[in-house]
Amino acid sequence: MTSFRGASDELFPDPVNARAEIFVSDYPTAITPADPARLDTRPPLFVFRVAADGPAGEEGTRRVLGALRGPLDDRGPLVPYALVPAAEEPVLLTEQAGQLLENGTPRRMTPDRYPHFAVVRSLVAHIRDHPQQSAGGYAEDLRRHACDRQQAERRGLLGRLPRAASTDVAPDGGDVKGWLLRVFWLSFTCHLPRWVWSRLVSRKVMRRWLGRMREAGGRRDLYQVMAHVATTQAPRLRMASDERRREQALQTLEKLLLRALLEDLATPRTGRYLPKRRRRTARPVLLVEVPPPGADGARRAERFLRVLHELRDTAPRPGPLVIAVGRPDEALLAELGARESTLSHAATALGSQDATPVAFTFDEASLTGPGLPIARVEPHRRFRTSWRTTTAFLAATAVLALTAGGVAVERVRDDGDHSCVGGAASVADRARSRPVPLNAKGWYTGALDAIADQNRRAEAYAAKGRDVRTVVAFVSSPPRTEDDMRFDGTIPELRGIAMWQQQLNQDAGSDENTVPLRVEVRSTGEAYRDAVPQARKLVAEVRDEKGTEDHERIVGVLAYAQSRDETRAALQVLGQEGVPTVGTTATANEMLAGDATRSYWPFTPDNEREARIEAAFAAGADIVARRDDHDTCSPARRAVVIRNSADLYSRSLAGRFVSAFPGTTRVFDFNQEGDFGPQPPDGAPTLTSASVLAEQLCKALAEEPRSVVYWSARAKDFTAFISAMDKRGTCVDRPVTVLGGNELTNVAQTGAYAEQSWLRLYYSAHRLPGGHPSLSAETRQFLSRYDAFVRTYGAGADPWRQDGHSAVSYDAFHVLSEAVNQARSRDERIERRSVLITLAGGVTPFNGATGYIAYAPDVNAPPADKTLVILRQLGTQPQAVLVCGAFDMGESSRKQGPPCVP
């Protein structure tokens, strides 16, 4: 085992040409950033390999870990951290890491509480240490053990009450009266509190996370789930001679324990004065030593890393920063999918959402050579007194207030007002008598004509000697039918691009510092199936620009409007070449991973934030019609989630909503093509028929009328579902509330559902609708320009004036054009690398059509506190019922309060 005593004075190795100074600079600020909102990012797993064997390898590992630990400790921890050395005991590394975090609370910092970890640790330890006891009635044994452990560790109120086995605290007396008194006393001081505590804990753990794991198997009681795990894994645990099977059992236990720990390390609930409900001031850090294969502790370290990687997508934010240092097995790195990187790229990943583990190898020379000091972390908020002092002060104040004459308590009264948010009307209310005539070919051609006009204008500037460059807009295939147009946002997206190009080229006439831009629109096929080949074609073009006119040189890309596996892979191709890319309406967190972090900047709020807002909205707002009075509503107790697990956007948004929704959930996997891939890990039913889905949904609504339908699948599937519901009519005698994502915007605003009087539809959007009282001057100006554009290029009526896709692409192009303009000030050639550097530094903030746009420097994340709106569809006119984020300069989610979150 490596000793780390005195390791805080170590210098971080400085390999030649590795840009270690960038990582050394960014490491402390990633743990304690100046802006607390940046704690909401989830950095990837870091693996620092030591390329040395024997004592030299141990010394190198000690040096790297010591250098990383030094900034976190100054005669006591400055932030919550755990340095976990190589060891064989305890068998589960998570157990040791959690105990180190729990016992190492920084002085005068609000401690994290570990209710999930504590109870699961006690159960897991009992299962691991007593595999022979997993027989009938084991669930009750585990329940009693958890209570005993809680009392032994003196946790909470239960830890301060008499234990169930204790009778010396009961009243004396040998007669019937004494016996009754003893029974009464023990019931209310021992047995009842244990019964209540065990059930409350079970309910909290099951509803928060365990009930959605495969290991739960549909069970709803914590102790039954753990008893089932024990019964399944006990035979393997008893096989001391079969290391492979025993390792499988330990990995299952590690998974449960680590998931519990990650739940406790999520962003805590906040409060102004309550001493243990303060905001997180630092990111927890786990430093893990990884011995070489076969050495003591190697197996437990590798098991921990595998489980951590497996849980990353389902665990709550922000999660700890985990850095593994040592000599891991090559097979482990391949299993993790770790990509070899430089220290400068590792520094960038510290503030990213990258799901791909980052690996870096220290050669033997760097481990013995000079190094760089890492500055100590500085939590941006430290408390002058400990939370215990604050608790005592508040308690004394409360006693004095009560003694002086009582305390005024503000009560939330039920005043009988349960009006439905946005009204009780359906999508049929105020609907058009006739739907808007759709002109797929005319509208698409009109948008391309507008871009062609502006391209000619830009080329005219180039002919006069002006600096002109080209950007590429990747879109899906041109819509051939009305259905194609309804289910795809290509036309609004192209309109927004054409509108900003028009404004940009107009400004260039009077401003010599504005770089006019050409736009090449490139189709990537239906549902972006050709996104990767088209991205490779573009990369080949930019690699060989000999003979290319300056105005045809490509300096950036606008893409993509949808989160799909194909578009995610295409971003990897563009990232490898370093092609500057600004996103439009793709929202899946998974889009920003791997090589995409080198060149991709999303524009819209990611699925994580959207799902949290929508889950809080569904659970806290009156949106579900009451059974006895359809004109009044109540919050949703249950969410029936419809997803398509084969679709990246759908499974990402649905998974995050299920994690965030505080009530119960039921998930249906719906794919009309039957493409489900592997069986969904949560065991959700797979359906291919819209009629069967409608039938199953009606049954679910009958079981729990206070249910909201959360739709994360695509708009085409939603339309098929609506049609099936309308035909069957088994539960359309009462209103059905549906909450969906931005995917439903296009089709909903065409009036496709205008006859469905049973449908109450809410969905997300990315700008305020026209007519809203808080509309900014820039958004009003955008709407005026949009109306003028439609009159010129629209070829008839238009249903999408309130759609956010055009405003998103308008502002996204604005961001890219600003990056080009600012890059020109330092680089007359306007190279793509200069545009990347500008994007990385954060373009100058501006007020746009979608709100205030301000990218944080050195973070590949959407603009800070980006606008998210929840609309209520009424006929063809959507109504904003919730507005979150910086929809105008000076506005923020912090001022708006729950359910808005930054």
Side-chain angles (χ1 to χ4, degrees), residues 281-447:
T281 57
R283 189 190 308 278
V285 181
L286 291 180
L287 305 175
V288 180
E289 181 185 9
V290 184
D296 290 347
R299 184 172 294 159
R300 80 163 194 158
E302 293 176 357
R303 182 195 315 123
F304 172 81
L305 297 179
R306 286 192 185 94
V307 172
L308 178 70
H309 184 60
E310 179 184 354
L311 293 176
R312 175 184 164 84
D313 288 337
T314 57
R317 284 187 177 182
L321 170 62
V322 182
I323 303 179
V325 182
R327 288 162 287 172
D329 188 1
E330 291 292 338
L332 173 65
L333 294 178
E335 185 177 341
L336 297 177
R339 57 184 175 89
E340 189 69 28
S341 182
T342 64
L343 284 176
S344 61
H345 288 149
T348 301
L350 283 169
S352 75
Q353 301 284 0
D354 194 352
T356 306
V358 175
F360 178 79
T361 302
F362 291 99
D363 56 33
E364 193 164 355
S366 67
L367 294 171
T368 56
L372 300 173
I374 304 179
R376 296 201 185 277
V377 298
E378 297 181 2
H380 71 280
R381 183 179 178 186
R382 300 288 298 277
F383 302 107
R384 296 179 182 275
T385 60
S386 71
W387 67 269
R388 292 181 177 84
T389 303
T390 307
T391 302
F393 173 78
L394 291 176
T397 302
V399 170
L400 290 174
L402 289 171
T403 303
V407 79
V409 180
E410 181 181 357
R411 297 182 178 180
V412 179
R413 297 187 300 271
D414 184 356
D415 56 6
D417 182 14
H418 289 283
S419 301
C420 303
V421 174
S426 70
V427 296
D429 183 61
R430 297 195 298 273
R432 293 187 179 97
S433 58
R434 294 181 180 179
V436 175
L438 302 181
N439 186 350
K441 183 178 179 180
W443 291 347
Y444 185 82
T445 302

Side-chain angles (χ1 to χ4, degrees), residues 629-864:
D629 182 3
H630 295 172
D631 291 333
T632 61
C633 291
S634 61
R637 289 181 177 174
R638 186 187 198 187
V640 182
V641 180
I642 315 298
R643 72 170 184 217
N644 179 353
S645 61
D647 182 12
L648 173 63
Y649 161 80
S650 179
R651 66 174 179 265
S652 170
L653 185 62
R656 285 167 168 79
F657 180 87
V658 168
S659 297
F661 187 69
T664 59
T665 57
R666 185 173 181 185
V667 180
F668 291 101
D669 218 337
F670 179 48
N671 186 322
Q672 296 186 81
E673 285 73 35
D675 179 18
F676 299 103
Q679 181 69 19
D682 54 8
T686 55
L687 306 174
T688 59
S689 167
S691 296
V692 175
L693 174 62
E695 180 181 358
Q696 294 296 319
L697 179 63
C698 285
K699 291 180 180 178
L701 294 177
E703 294 172 2
E704 174 51 85
R706 289 181 59 177
S707 295
V708 61
V709 178
Y710 186 75
W711 191 275
S712 74
R714 295 290 178 179
K716 178 180 179 181
D717 294 325
F718 184 65
T719 302
F721 159 73
I722 293 296
S723 177
M725 285 283 286
D726 193 45
K727 290 176 182 177
R728 295 186 64 84
T730 57
C731 62
V732 296
D733 57 330
R734 59 182 180 274
V736 176
T737 300
V738 177
L739 173 61
N742 184 62
E743 170 72 13
L744 302 182
T745 306
N746 281 22
V747 63
Q749 294 185 8
T750 62
Y753 313 130
E755 297 180 355
Q756 312 305 330
S757 59
W758 53 270
L759 176 62
R760 295 183 179 177
L761 179 61
Y762 299 84
Y763 55 88
S764 65
H766 298 122
R767 75 158 172 84
L768 286 172
H772 193 278
S774 298
L775 214 62
S776 68
E778 287 73 15
T779 306
R780 287 195 295 270
Q781 184 182 62
F782 168 82
L783 288 171
S784 176
R785 291 175 179 174
Y786 183 87
D787 293 339
F789 182 92
V790 170
R791 285 193 297 269
T792 305
Y793 296 100
D798 173 65
W800 293 316
R801 188 174 189 270
Q802 307 297 358
D803 178 56
H805 285 81
S806 54
V808 167
S809 59
Y810 179 88
D811 280 352
F813 196 3
H814 188 169
V815 170
L816 184 56
S817 67
E818 280 295 312
V820 174
N821 289 339
Q822 293 176 39
R824 181 178 179 272
S825 65
R826 67 170 66 93
D827 173 19
E828 292 184 357
R829 288 285 296 167
I830 319 179
E831 300 289 348
R832 284 180 295 278
R833 179 169 179 79
S834 299
V835 178
L836 272 181
I837 292 173
T838 302
L839 287 170
V843 298
T844 303
F846 63 89
N847 245 17
T850 60
Y852 186 63
I853 313 299
Y855 279 94
D858 303 320
V859 178
N860 292 69

